[in-house]
Amino acid sequence: MSAPDAEAVSGRIDDLRERLRRAGGSGVEIVAVTKGFGVDAIEHAVRAGVRCVGENFAQELVPKVAEARRHGWSFECHFIGRLQTNKVRSLVGAVDVWQSVDRAALVHEIAARCPGARVLIQVNATGEADKGGVPLGQLDDLVGLARDRELVVEGLMTVGPTDGDPTRTQVAFRATRSAVDRLGLTVCSMGMSDDLEIAIGEGSTMVRVGTAIFGARVRRERDRPDP
Ligand SMILES: *Cc1c(COP(=O)(O)O)cnc(C)c1O
């Protein structure tokens, strides 16, 4: 699927920056989520000044990011989707920040294949059974393991409740930010197109935004793993 043209993307990124500013988050990092769109989405976002690009699916990411780098566009690639251990190997070299690390097996695999990698630990702060992320009660152990394996744990990532309920979203984001502080981390990746104001209000430092920049995607479960 091709992205809207460069002008449209840059206009929407301006609007997004204005939304962030009004919510009190002018310094918040934008991760432009390009899943479902072609390499032109990366090009337009980077030209509009976005530094980070997010992708969910290994098979889609690898060729797209390789092509973008061949063009010389400079950006950080963040992996934000459900990650299977057997996909890690194919992603090494393409991914700069692993945002969805949520279990010991993944820590071990990333540490083995990509020593010293920059990671965020994904937290399930909503208690939903079908959601990725380590439960808050097991978070400290997983952060400890990642540090023991010499991964660079920059922060935490979380996804709000699927039903979008504002109160539950706020509770989940508050718990995540408080864990970031307690663990002495810096990055708090939370907030998407529909809940970024709540996320900023609760102390997000990084929002992951697709729809508000590129428009609606062909539907695919937002965090279903690769086939
Ligand atoms: C798809 C996705 C996003 C972006 O969602 P939008 O609603 O399109 O802004 C952010 N984070 C994760 C983990 C995603 O899977």
Side-chain angles (χ1 to χ4, degrees):
M1 201 170 154
S2 65
D5 64 34
E7 212 175 314
V9 168
S10 120
R12 285 174 174 181
I13 289 174
D14 287 345
D15 295 345
L16 173 62
R17 291 204 174 101
E18 177 60 17
R19 257 179 92 184
L20 293 172
R21 197 189 59 72
R22 280 195 205 175
S26 17
V28 164
E29 188 86 64
I30 296 169
V31 177
V33 177
T34 49
K35 68 182 175 199
F37 291 98
V39 73
D40 52 336
I42 298 182
E43 175 179 19
H44 300 337
V46 170
R47 290 201 197 285
V50 169
R51 294 190 330 110
C52 305
V53 165
E55 283 280 340
N56 278 51
F57 306 106
Q59 282 163 344
E60 178 182 336
L61 180 157
V62 171
K64 197 194 294 187
V65 167
E67 188 182 343
R69 302 231 200 265
R70 273 197 300 278
H71 286 289
W73 307 327
S74 154
F75 60 94
E76 279 184 2
C77 174
H78 291 234
F79 191 86
I80 63 172
R82 282 252 175 123
L83 184 51
Q84 291 168 288
T85 46
N86 65 4
K87 292 288 186 333
V88 167
R89 185 179 188 177
S90 68
L91 291 168
V92 171
V95 168
D96 300 297
V97 179
W98 307 76
Q99 287 215 8
S100 41
V101 178
D102 64 357
R103 58 196 189 277
L106 260 181
V107 167
H108 288 300
E109 184 68 10
I110 295 171
R113 304 269 179 202
C114 194
R118 299 164 59 197
V119 304
L120 306 184
I121 302 296
Q122 183 178 352
V123 177
N124 179 340
T126 68
E128 290 161 295
D130 60 340
K131 198 159 236 110
V134 63
L136 278 163
Q138 295 162 34
L139 172 63
D140 292 32
D141 284 350
L142 191 60
V143 169
L145 177 69
R147 285 173 168 162
D148 287 347
R149 296 296 318 257
E150 296 183 357
L151 295 177
V152 178
V153 182
E154 297 188 338
L156 305 181
M157 181 273 246
T158 203
V159 176
T162 304
D163 68 9
D165 175 77
T167 306
R168 298 209 310 128
T169 303
Q170 189 173 32
V171 168
F173 287 172
R174 188 166 297 180
T176 302
R177 175 62 207 232
S178 127
V180 164
D181 294 338
R182 184 172 50 75
L183 291 161
L185 301 168
T186 52
V187 177
C188 186
S189 170
M190 57 190 194
M192 315 186 353
S193 296
D194 291 337
D195 58 16
L196 62 87
E197 279 84 4
I198 300 174
I200 301 300
E202 296 304 325
S204 168
T205 68
M206 177 179 278
V207 292
R208 309 175 309 270
V209 181
T211 311
I213 300 176
F214 303 111
R217 298 174 288 272
V218 176
R219 258 186 86 80
R220 187 173 178 181
E221 282 291 324
R222 70 176 172 189
D223 57 4
R224 193 181 66 184
D226 274 293

